[in-house]
């Protein structure tokens, strides 16, 4: 889960990483109150999870509480690259002498944590990596032994951080690392890290991604998640325990296992079709899960046919068939469903479907055959 | 020979008294795997259909000579279970559990790799089967047959699909290894390719990858430099939209890196033929054998 | 530094290791007040750092505050194997169903931490190790990865702890380990760990040794140390930065480096003498340190001769000579001093001493020669 | 050849700008050691008598090819300094600093030993000298001469005493290694014995131990099984009273274990002659050569 800037900063503040003082506002009035509480000049920042907010007009300074309200009223509701601004962060403004880059992430290849720092902050780090790779200091941190002081020095001296900012930067690294580890983050990225006019070093922006798998030890994740807008269909799917992503096409896809579903999308595309979604019922799905999956997919009017591609392992094909039959009985099914079953209890499952013929139900022998059939039916239905 | 599991496997299941653990553990035994013990703290002295339960892995190793463990405990206990097996001297640890936090695995995987040489497969993986010898995990044994093809895959059901296509064409497998799709797997493609390269029974290897990360790219470079046996590959996710997280934590595309196209290109430029779908993979294998 | 029981328990309590409630008393009146504060039955325990307190009558129950005062008045001032009781710990009494043993220590050979547990508690663990080694469960813990839950299970199940105590024992191990690591302890030993009548598991006694080298990160060490009685001469030596231990003989020993001083003790003994002390001036000692060392040693009336054995490395022999000459000028030296100098600037040092002859000053060429001379002079002086 | 330090040594001193660090670092240079850099964070770009200072060890390695480091920083910074050298790829790390907490060393030593094969000598040690080649540490070079005897010792000044006795008898040394008397040394007797056994220049080894721990006993067992070269030993502390802590943290006797008598017996029963005092050690060496 990617956190909003204000969420990420709240998290970092708990680990004593210096961040500007700020408050979230969802209305212009709240923005006025926030600016009044902070006193002096403020910056009003659109809270959307997309780059280029500043250029799009989503970040504006304000010299007074009233101006903060005006600015907020213009930013709230704005559309930035398809994201509607529902909240702004009102932050105390400070003068900035230099901008740097600092991040911790998990380096999968090295199976270690990676710290990155650059004196070239405030811009896209991938651009820096492409044009001037030596401008980025990198240190690997063995998760077993953790961060030692020298890692911080290697980052700060290696990146050639300004003399005046060194001490503050070296001091900020251990708490940022602690936040990274203790939040179960896959990424904490501070861009820019700034040196202010009065010599302080702080995180002016913060991108924090946390690991959903670690929610069991972070009760606060649920709260953070609540602020995220999830499309209605995905939300309903998630409630039913389904891993669902909406796509643009008209062939609904249901499969078990992310790899098999991705492969199914590929073969549908190769057969000339356009997948309407990605839906992985996961391992060991029972009848109810399958029935729910069909319900979620067919609730989408753009879906013209559905392909159910199951290779049973931990999942039992007889239960899959039961779920399909239950959905057919329960729902007023208007689109054809192509079913391909293999693996654990496949024969039983196929027999159950054959024994209960339904006009919308089409059995297929192979994955490629099933894909071709589903595409053909979608085209026929759309015509 | 086969790799990782086989006739010498003496299996202990961590979590054998659980619903899933007992179902799959006993299914593995039915397949012919030598299931010697289960571990559930506090239930030592009891048994699951004749399989003795101990309180600790160390005790299972001492009393039954277990050398392989399957981890079937809930995510929050899984890192500890893996460390316990490692500490007890288990040589092959196969972690089926899905949803283990990446921080836990970062700590455990780095530690194990600097350790005594034990192999960790997974987590979030379907396990390993060496047909007709041993099956440790959830791969359906009935779709496999013994033969010369080694399989290694980040995906579970996709592996089954490919095994199925091979078996239907009469092509058997030496071992099928699901390394799992988590960000930090205990073993990566290279670890398993190296084992297949050294394995007498394996004549050809099928590598099944997916979008996200650079594991396939690194495997391609390694195979080019180190493999004498032919490799055929498959990559899932050519049509996956960028920036979407599709099931496996590994399956995220960002920018140009980690796309299926980039991976296929890396593999092909290393002399590895890449099938466009599971059937084509099986056909390429049939041609190459 | 070995902590007193009450100090060790206070430390463990900070890490939430369950220990009985208790208070320290230095007078019978304080003991009465402590018992009154605790309410109910108490146990009064002599605070001395020596085994066998119980057998010596240093641990007594008391049914009322008044009885606690009586008991305390008998225990306070008691001599237990040469240790005078200056404090008692008044603890709430509980009924004990079982006694176990639990400890963490540094295993030097394995370069790891070692956890030990046994269901045979309350007795000398070395005796258990000799007579029934299988009764002790052992687990090594890699300091880099730390304690994992399974370590606790291996200890508790491996030791065959009673069923009723398992959960409590498993829960107590992580905080005890944290205390071990975070206190910079070389040993935390809980003997006995007890299961009480009401099913709780707690540390009834605690032996904690902390690493003096870690004092820089533990301001509390100084406080803990203040409670320790150090013989006057050793205290004075310590204040002057000298590593000094009083022994029983009459040949005072000064040397640089623990190994060389131990070797000097050995050769003095081999020459028929009895060392009066161990005194290591450490590395890089200057003139003042040497002068102080001579002062500390000659303040002991039983010393009949002094052997100064210096092999300069980081230590400069010219500064050693300067210190000796300064002491000779400053103090009214009544015992002969045999000086052997070698290593860094040895020639200069020897020349300085030769140029300032003093009736009590004897130069020696070799370590063995110096030892023989010092013993001879001690015997002559003692006669 | 000699061991650990020699003609190929390129030394970086961590803490070269400090009083002690500069005194001994420059003294080592005067002896002929190739001192290529000093590290002091924040002082990068300056120099100490012509020796360039960098902010990090990594930078020193990159710019000067340093392969050996000497740690001369205060105790509270020493564990970090050792880890920094290891991380930068330094092959031989010699930690002179005294008073490093045992917890720090337990973590560091265990980690390094599972790592890239770098040697850590110390902490709380006098360093290593290979006479006429290189001196890294505080051993007075003028008492040594080149020759066939390797020395390894837990004690500093006691080593000097024995070297002195050897040199006075005309017997030179290949390398003298002070492993330090701390509870958890980076290298123990066995590590160094193995290096001497493999070293062309070394014909005989002198092992100097002291009371406390079981390092000498383990070394005796190892030498019996693995050494072809003769070993002569010395143990200090025969007359040390039990339970007293004499300087080195290692020098504590508890019960019957770790006494000088027990150590001498273990060594002698492994065929190693034990001198009763430093002079006798030199005489035994003279006889054995």
């Amino acid at each position: 889960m990617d956190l909003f800037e204000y969420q990420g900063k709240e998290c970092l503040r708990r680990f004593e990483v210096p961040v500007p003082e700020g408050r979230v506002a969802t209305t212009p009035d709240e923005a006025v109150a926030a600016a009044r509480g902070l006193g002096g000049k403020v910056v009003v920042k659109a809270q959307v999870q997309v780059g280029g907010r500043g250029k799009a007009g989503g970040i504006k300074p304000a010299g007074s509480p009233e101006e903060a309200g005006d600015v907020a009223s213009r930013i709230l509701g704005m559309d930035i690259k398809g994201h509607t601004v529902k909240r702004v962060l009102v932050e105390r403004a400070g003068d900035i002498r230099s901008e740097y880059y600092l991040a911790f992430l998990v380096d999968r290849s090295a199976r270690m944590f990676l710290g990155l720092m650059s004196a070239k902050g405030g811009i896209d780090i991938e651009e820096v990596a492409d044009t001037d790779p030596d401008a980025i200091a990198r240190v690997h941190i063995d998760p077993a032994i953790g961060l030692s002081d020298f890692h911080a020095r290697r980052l700060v001296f290696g990146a050639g951080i300004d003399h005046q900012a060194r001490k503050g930067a070296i001091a900020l690294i251990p708490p940022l690392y602690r936040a990274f580890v203790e939040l179960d983050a896959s990424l904490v990225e501070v861009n820019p890290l700034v040196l202010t006019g009065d010599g302080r070093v702080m995180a002016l922006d913060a991108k924090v991604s946390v690991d959903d798998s670690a929610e069991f030890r972070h009760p606060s994740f649920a709260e953070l998640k609540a602020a995220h807008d999830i499309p209605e269909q995905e939300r309903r799917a998630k409630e039913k325990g389904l891993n669902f992503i909406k796509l643009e096409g008209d062939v609904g896809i249901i499969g078990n296992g992310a790899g098999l579903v991705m492969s199914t999308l590929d073969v549908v595309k190769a057969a000339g079709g356009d997948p309407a979604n990605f839906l992985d019922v996961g391992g060991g799905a029972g009848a109810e899960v399958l029935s729910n999956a069909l319900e979620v997919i067919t609730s989408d009017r753009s879906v013209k046919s559905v392909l159910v591609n199951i290779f049973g392992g931990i999942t039992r094909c007889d239960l899959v068939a039961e779920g399909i039959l239950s959905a057919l009985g329960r729902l007023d099914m208007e689109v054809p469903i192509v079913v391909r079953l293999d693996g654990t209890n496949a024969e039983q499952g196929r027999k159950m479907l054959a024994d209960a013929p339904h006009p919308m139900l089409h059995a297929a022998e192979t994955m490629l055959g099933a894909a071709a059939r589903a595409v053909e039916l979608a085209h026929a239905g759309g015509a | 020979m086969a790799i990782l599991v086989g006739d010498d496997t003496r299996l202990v299941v961590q979590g054998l008294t659980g619903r899933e653990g007992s179902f799959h553990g006993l299914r593995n035994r039915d397949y012919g795997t030598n299931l010697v013990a289960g571990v559930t703290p506090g239930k030592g002295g009891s048994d699951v259909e004749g399989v003795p339960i101990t309180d600790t892995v160390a005790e299972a190793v001492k009393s039954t000579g277990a050398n392989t463990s399957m981890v079937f405990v809930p995510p929050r206990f899984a890192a500890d279970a893996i460390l316990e097996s490692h500490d007890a001297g288990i040589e092959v640890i196969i972690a089926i559990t899905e949803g283990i936090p990446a921080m836990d695995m970062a700590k455990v995987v780095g530690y194990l790799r600097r350790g005594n040489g034990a192999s960790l497969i997974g987590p979030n993986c379907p396990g390993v089967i060496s047909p007709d010898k041993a099956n440790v995990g959830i791969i359906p044994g009935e779709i496999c047959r013994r033969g010369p093809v080694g399989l290694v895959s980040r995906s579970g059901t996709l592996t089954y699909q490919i095994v199925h296509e091979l078996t239907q064409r009469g092509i058997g497998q030496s071992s099928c290894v699901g390394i799992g799709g988590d960000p930090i797997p205990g073993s990566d493609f290279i670890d398993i390719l190296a084992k297949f390269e050294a394995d007498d029974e394996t004549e050809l290897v099928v590598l099944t990858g997916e979008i996200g990360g650079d594991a396939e790219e690194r495997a391609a470079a390694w195979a080019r430099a180190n493999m004498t046996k032919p490799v055929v590959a498959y990559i899932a996710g050519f049509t996956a939209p960028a920036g979407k997280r599709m099931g496996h934590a590994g399956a995220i595309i960002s920018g140009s890196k980690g796309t299926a196209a980039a991976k296929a290109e890396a593999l092909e430029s290393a002399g590895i033929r890449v099938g466009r779908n599971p059937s084509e993979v099986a056909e390429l294998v049939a041609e190459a054998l």
Side-chain angles (χ1 to χ4, degrees), chain A residues 18-32:
Chain A
V19 293
E21 211 181 332
R23 296 172 193 188
V24 177
T26 56
T27 65
D29 284 354
E30 283 179 19
V32 171

Side-chain angles (χ1 to χ4, degrees), chain B residues 87-109:
Chain B
D87 173 80
I90 292 286
E91 292 155 25
V92 177
I93 306 166
I94 295 173
I96 310 299
T97 306
E98 180 181 350
I100 307 178
M103 278 293 158
D104 293 4
M105 289 316 301
K107 206 171 164 182
V108 166
V109 170

Side-chain angles (χ1 to χ4, degrees), chain A residues 43-330:
Chain A
V43 179
V44 181
K45 305 171 84 176
Q47 295 300 289
V48 284
Q49 293 188 330
V50 63
R53 283 180 300 173
K55 279 189 190 160
I59 302 181
K60 296 280 181 200
S64 67
E66 293 65 33
E67 197 187 341
D70 289 348
V71 168
S73 72
R74 271 176 284 147
I75 295 178
L76 284 163
M78 197 184 247
D79 181 282
I80 301 180
K81 300 184 185 173
H83 294 246
T84 306
V85 181
K86 298 199 169 175
R87 294 176 198 81
V88 292
L89 174 58
V90 182
E91 273 189 347
R92 191 193 299 283
D95 73 314
I96 292 161
R97 269 159 63 183
S98 293
E99 298 191 328
Y100 315 116
Y101 176 93
L102 175 62
F104 285 107
L105 57 132
V106 176
D107 181 342
R108 299 173 182 198
S109 318
R111 301 177 184 86
M112 290 214 255
F113 301 144
L114 178 63
L116 297 174
M117 191 163 202
S118 176
K120 294 195 170 181
I123 54 173
D124 185 356
I125 195 68
E126 299 201 9
E127 203 184 302
V128 179
D130 284 345
T131 57
D132 187 9
D134 288 346
I136 303 174
R138 298 152 195 268
V139 292
H140 275 110
I141 299 147
D142 187 322
I145 198 96
L147 184 93
S148 195
D149 291 341
F150 82 85
H151 291 113
R153 296 195 303 268
R154 276 197 63 178
L155 286 172
V156 170
F157 287 110
I161 300 300
D162 301 297
H163 194 269
Q164 309 96 296
R166 278 184 194 162
K167 213 172 152 182
I170 287 174
L172 181 141
I173 288 172
L176 190 72
Y177 175 82
R178 260 199 307 282
F180 170 70
V181 172
E182 290 183 22
L183 287 170
D184 269 289
S186 50
L187 171 73
V188 294
E189 185 179 52
V190 176
N191 190 20
L193 178 78
V194 298
L195 171 64
T196 63
D198 55 352
R200 286 179 305 153
V201 174
M202 56 167 67
L204 196 66
D205 197 354
K207 191 172 164 187
V208 177
S209 297
V210 297
D211 179 359
D212 293 310
S213 293
E215 187 165 342
F216 65 79
R217 58 187 170 212
H218 298 281
S220 65
F221 280 11
E223 224 171 281
L224 296 169
K225 200 177 285 177
H228 286 69
D229 301 314
I230 298 166
E232 175 60 15
Q233 204 185 4
E234 285 190 25
R235 195 186 52 70
R236 272 192 8 239
K238 204 156 239 172
E239 277 174 15
K240 296 185 190 292
L242 303 168
N243 182 9
F244 173 91
I245 296 163
K246 175 88 185 93
L247 302 173
E248 300 306 314
D250 56 7
V251 181
I253 308 281
I254 296 174
N256 62 326
L260 184 64
V261 179
M262 279 193 282
S263 177
T264 308
L265 299 186
D266 290 348
V267 297
V268 164
K269 194 92 177 181
D274 273 310
N277 68 281
F278 169 101
L279 194 159
D280 172 14
V281 294
E288 201 185 330
V289 174
L290 257 292
S291 176
N292 287 336
L294 276 171
E295 182 177 352
V296 165
I297 287 201
T298 55
S299 71
D300 181 354
R301 293 279 135 213
S302 59
V303 169
K304 301 289 180 244
S305 73
V306 180
L307 167 52
V308 179
N309 185 22
I310 300 290
F311 205 112
I314 202 167
T315 305
R316 287 165 48 184
C317 289
D318 55 332
L319 297 182
V320 171
E322 188 184 321
I324 293 169
L325 295 177
S326 144
L328 287 174
R330 191 161 64 83

